[in-house]
């Protein structure tokens, strides 16, 4: 018998039951988070680090020769690459190459595990710390304790401390001994924007690198490459404006470029100079040139109207004065003969050349001081636009005054003081020489010096009196002797100033041959001869015999020489 507990097997058909696994609904692919340009284009190699060639060369030589410091201090203004440089140094010291057998190199591969981990900020042996939020001595003690242990996977254990100047005094003191004699496997990389706040005891234990401000030309070229990589068209003038606004900081410039690209919109046609000016609140260069022309022409109403038009467009009054200062500085550089700025518009170059030929150095310096004073006043004023108007009116008034040197000579002579009339036309400088009046060219070195003194260039006149030994003078040609040392800039300055004084182009050259005595030498010879004549006269001889300790007053001798020269 079968066991009563055994149940017969049932052959049941298979059933297709519905699945009740709800699961998660299909999710749309998440778009990649946008990274700002300043992070996206952070340099990943020393070749991408712009404007710091001297530091890269020094580091490269140190790595090749195995002369690596145990602590580096990187200082400079914001955004020049201090933290990026620290990470690049960490890469350079810990790179093992694509095959895993490489050593320290100034050109890290970027593909090995240490390079990728450091670039992504996840390497266990490269510790970054912000001293602004870890200022205490306890934070430093943690570093000291951890530095005793060898690196886990890297060649060197590296501590990157940003804004190190914010550590407390006790924290610095706790770090000193370890910083002076760290373990062989430890490197310290400090970054700061205020190196003057770092104790001297710390500075003396570090190899210091001063990262320079990046030039506007380099920044503009860098921004052009970034714009091309982003597929964005950008006008060279717009990139130049962004580069100047960045003030030497690559990070600041990339942030402004990011904003400018967003400002341009999807169908905005790229980054335009006008849009950048509007975005930054800058004054249009053409409007600045027009305003400067009105100021030099003495047109007060026109100048105030031009200022108000800029103000109504949203331009800050202080920005207007800053743009005027930049223009005056550019005119002065042109007058000195410096090469034109890269990317400068033809209109601006021509305007600056015109003002440079029409205005003397004295007039440009006076204009600079007036605008600079106005800029400082507007920065502190409760009513900025009103203060700016008053500053511009002061410039207009000063443009109609005579040169200070000429004014002093007129007052000394007791004659009437001339008042310069405003120049005709809004763009003509007030001190432009009249095209129809061409004065006779000076025929002696004394006449040349007198003409230069009348233009207010007293320093140049003194140099000529002391150093100018004339070989030949046939206006408008002057040949000076180079047999004795001449000031380095004498020939250049004299050529420029003679053209300003006479309205004619002069050819001033030197020859290695003796020339006539300088005016100073002639005065010395006259002085010595007059002294000898005076001392040889019977009356003076008798006076010195009666009073052996008597002396001939130098001022009396000068008076006699001057009287003799007028006879």
């Amino acid at each position: 018998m079968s066991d009563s507990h055994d149940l017969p097997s049932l052959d049941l058909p298979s059933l297709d039951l519905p699945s009740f696994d709800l699961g998660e609904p299909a999710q749309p692919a998440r778009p990649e988070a946008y990274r700002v340009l300043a992070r996206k284009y952070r340099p990943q190699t020393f070749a991408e680090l712009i404007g710091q060639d001297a530091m890269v060369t020094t580091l490269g030589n140190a790595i090749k020769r195995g002369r690596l410091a145990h602590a580096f201090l990187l200082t400079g203004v914001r955004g020049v690459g201090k933290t990026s440089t620290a990470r690049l140094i960490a890469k350079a010291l810990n790179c093992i190459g694509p095959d895993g057998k490489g050593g320290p190199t100034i050109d890290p591969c970027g593909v090995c595990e240490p390079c990728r981990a450091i670039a992504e900020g996840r390497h266990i042996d490269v510790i970054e710390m912000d001293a602004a939020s870890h200022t205490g001595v306890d934070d430093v003690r943690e570093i000291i304790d951890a530095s005793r242990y060898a690196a886990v996977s890297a060649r060197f254990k590296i501590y990157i401390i940003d804004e190190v100047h914010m550590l407390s005094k006790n924290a610095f003191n706790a770090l000193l001994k370890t910083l002076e004699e760290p373990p062989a496997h430890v490197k310290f990389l400090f970054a700061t924007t205020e190196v003057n706040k770092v104790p001297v005891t710390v500075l003396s234990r570090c190899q210091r690198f001063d990262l320079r401000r990046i030039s506007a030309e380099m920044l503009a070229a860098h921004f052009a490459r970034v714009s091309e990589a982003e597929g964005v068209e950008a006008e060279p003038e717009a990139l130049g404006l962004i580069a100047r606004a960045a003030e030497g900081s690559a990070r600041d410039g990339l942030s402004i470029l990011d904003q400018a690209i967003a400002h341009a919109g999807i169908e905005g046609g790229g980054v335009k100079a006008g849009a950048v000016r509007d975005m930054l609140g800058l004054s249009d260069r053409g409007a600045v040139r027009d305003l400067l022309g009105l100021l030099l022409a003495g047109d007060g109403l026109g100048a105030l109207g031009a200022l108000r038009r800029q103000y109504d467009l949203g331009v800050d009054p202080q920005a207007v004065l800053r743009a005027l200062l930049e223009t005056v500085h550019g005119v002065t550089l042109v007058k000195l003969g410096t090469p034109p700025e890269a990317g400068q518009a033809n209109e601006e170059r021509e305007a600056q050349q015109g003002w440079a030929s029409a205005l003397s150095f004295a007039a440009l310096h006076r204009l600079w001081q007036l605008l600079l004073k106005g800029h400082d006043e507007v920065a502190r004023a409760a009513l900025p636009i009103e203060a700016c108007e008053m500053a511009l009116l002061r410039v207009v008034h000063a443009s109609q005054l005579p040169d200070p040197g000429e004014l002093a000579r007129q007052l000394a002579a007791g004659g009437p003081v001339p008042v310069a009339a405003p120049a005709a036309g809004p763009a003509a400088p007030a001190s432009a020489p009249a095209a129809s009046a061409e004065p006779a060219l000076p025929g002696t070195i004394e006449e040349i010096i007198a003409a230069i003194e009348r233009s207010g260039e007293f320093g140049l006149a003194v140099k000529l009196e002391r150093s100018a030994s004339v070989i030949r003078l046939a206006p408008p040609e002057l040949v000076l002797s180079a047999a004795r040392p001449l000031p380095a800039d004498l020939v250049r300055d004299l050529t420029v100033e003679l053209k300003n004084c006479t309205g004619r182009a002069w050819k001033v050259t030197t020859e290695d041959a003796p020339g006539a005595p300088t005016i100073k030498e002639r005065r010395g010879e006259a002085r010595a001869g007059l002294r000898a004549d005076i001392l040889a006269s019977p009356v003076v001889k008798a006076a010195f015999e009666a009073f052996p300790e008597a002396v001939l007053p130098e001022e009396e001798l000068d008076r006699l020489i001057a009287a003799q020269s007028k006879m």
Side-chain angles (χ1 to χ4, degrees):
M1 285 182 65
S2 63
D3 191 348
S4 60
H5 295 286
D6 291 340
L7 297 177
S9 60
L10 299 177
D11 188 10
L12 298 176
S14 61
L15 300 177
D16 292 332
L17 299 177
S19 174
F20 293 97
D21 183 12
L22 299 179
E24 292 186 2
Q27 298 292 328
R30 291 185 179 181
E32 184 179 353
Y34 176 70
R35 285 196 301 162
V36 296
L37 298 181
R39 290 188 59 195
K40 185 175 180 180
Y41 292 96
R42 170 171 274 173
Q44 299 300 319
T45 64
F46 282 105
E48 297 176 5
L49 190 66
I50 59 175
Q52 314 299 339
D53 297 340
M55 181 199 67
V56 174
T57 301
T58 303
L59 283 173
N61 293 336
I63 292 175
K64 290 177 183 177
R65 298 174 183 176
R67 303 178 63 88
L68 287 169
H70 57 269
F72 298 89
L73 178 69
L74 307 170
T75 179
V77 299
R78 71 201 183 281
V80 293
K82 298 184 295 299
T83 305
S84 296
T85 300
R87 292 177 180 174
L88 290 176
I89 294 175
K91 277 187 185 180
L93 298 183
N94 285 327
C95 178
I96 59 175
D99 57 358
K101 299 179 181 180
T105 174
I106 195 65
D107 296 312
C109 66
V111 298
C112 66
E113 176 57 25
C115 283
R116 288 189 287 108
I118 292 172
E120 296 168 7
R122 56 178 175 83
H123 201 292
I124 192 172
D125 292 319
V126 178
I127 301 96
E128 292 193 33
M129 186 183 88
D130 180 16
S133 54
H134 299 81
T135 61
V137 67
D138 291 336
D139 299 305
V140 172
R141 283 177 181 156
E142 290 181 9
I143 294 176
I144 296 171
D145 293 339
S147 67
R148 299 172 184 169
Y149 301 101
V152 175
S153 62
R155 187 177 295 112
F156 293 102
K157 179 179 283 189
I158 296 176
Y159 291 94
I160 300 175
I161 303 181
D162 202 9
E163 299 301 338
V164 69
H165 66 273
M166 301 191 75
L167 289 178
S168 66
K169 182 179 180 181
N170 290 337
F172 274 123
N173 291 336
L175 187 61
L176 286 180
K177 188 61 178 177
T178 303
L179 188 60
E180 185 171 13
E181 298 178 359
H185 60 271
V186 173
K187 302 291 182 185
F188 289 99
L189 303 177
F190 301 140
T192 179
T193 54
E194 300 184 48
V195 69
N196 57 302
K197 294 184 179 180
V198 178
V200 178
T201 51
V202 173
L203 293 177
S204 64
R205 290 167 167 82
C206 299
Q207 190 172 98
R208 174 174 169 177
F209 291 104
D210 291 83
L211 277 66
R212 302 179 179 179
R213 287 181 183 271
I214 306 170
S215 68
E217 292 78 11
M218 285 186 176
L219 286 177
H222 179 56
F223 299 156
R225 292 191 294 269
V226 171
S227 300
E228 183 179 358
E230 291 291 306
V232 176
E233 294 183 2
E235 294 180 348
E237 185 180 356
L239 297 179
L241 291 172
I242 294 173
R244 284 193 290 270
E247 297 181 343
S249 170
R251 183 176 63 229
D252 287 8
L254 288 173
S255 298
I256 297 173
L257 178 60
D258 224 340
Q259 183 181 357
I261 294 174
H263 184 79
I266 299 176
E267 300 178 356
V271 179
K272 304 291 186 182
V276 171
R277 287 195 191 93
D278 293 341
M279 184 184 74
L280 297 177
L282 298 177
S283 184
D284 181 74
R285 303 301 296 180
V288 171
R289 293 194 297 272
D290 293 341
L291 177 57
L292 182 59
L294 292 167
L295 293 174
L296 294 174
D299 187 352
L301 288 176
L304 294 187
L307 172 63
R308 282 289 178 175
R309 285 192 293 272
Q310 291 291 296
Y311 184 70
D312 292 340
L313 291 173
V315 180
D316 184 68
Q318 198 171 2
V320 174
L321 289 171
R322 189 184 305 115
L324 288 171
L325 283 166
E326 291 175 353
T327 304
V328 172
H329 178 255
V331 173
T332 307
L333 294 182
V334 171
K335 191 171 183 66
L336 283 171
T338 58
E341 182 182 348
Q344 188 180 39
N346 292 331
E347 297 82 0
E348 186 168 5
R349 185 181 299 114
E350 292 172 0
Q352 289 185 356
Q353 290 173 346
W355 283 319
S357 62
L359 296 171
S360 67
F361 280 109
L364 287 170
H365 295 328
R366 187 165 69 247
L367 184 58
W368 171 268
Q369 292 297 331
L370 290 168
L371 291 172
L372 185 61
K373 180 177 175 61
H375 181 274
D376 294 342
E377 289 176 352
V378 171
R380 301 188 305 267
L383 303 172
I385 182 62
E386 287 79 3
C388 187
E389 288 178 339
M390 297 303 293
L392 294 186
L393 289 176
R394 187 164 59 227
V395 174
V396 169
H397 177 68
S399 70
Q400 303 180 51
L401 293 177
D403 182 85
E406 181 64 27
L407 180 61
R409 282 189 288 273
Q410 292 289 335
L411 291 174
V417 178
V419 177
S431 56
S436 58
E438 189 171 305
L441 299 179
T444 64
I445 189 65
E446 289 84 359
E447 292 178 358
I448 288 176
I449 292 175
I452 289 174
E453 287 180 341
R454 285 194 295 273
S455 70
E457 296 296 324
F458 300 106
L460 180 58
V462 172
K463 290 181 182 179
L464 290 175
E465 290 180 353
R466 294 176 178 176
S467 308
S469 175
V470 178
I471 295 178
R472 183 171 62 259
L473 175 56
E477 181 182 2
L478 172 61
V479 181
L480 300 177
S481 172
R484 65 186 73 193
L486 289 173
D489 54 353
L490 179 65
V491 173
R492 182 192 64 191
D493 291 350
L494 182 56
T495 303
V496 172
E497 195 55 39
L498 281 174
K499 181 179 180 181
N500 292 338
C501 295
T502 64
R504 295 276 301 279
W506 281 66
K507 181 181 180 182
V508 182
T509 58
T510 60
E511 291 182 3
D512 192 10
T518 65
I519 291 180
K520 183 179 180 180
E521 290 171 342
R522 278 184 274 165
R523 288 176 180 171
E525 293 172 358
R527 185 188 192 91
L530 183 58
R531 176 186 284 274
D533 292 342
I534 293 174
L535 294 177
S537 65
V539 176
V540 175
K541 277 187 176 181
F544 275 107
E545 290 174 359
F547 304 97
E549 297 181 356
V551 295
L552 181 62
E554 294 296 324
E555 59 271 15
E556 183 65 19
L557 188 61
D558 291 337
R559 188 186 65 79
L560 292 173
I561 291 175
Q564 190 179 57
S565 63
K566 293 180 181 179
M567 294 178 60

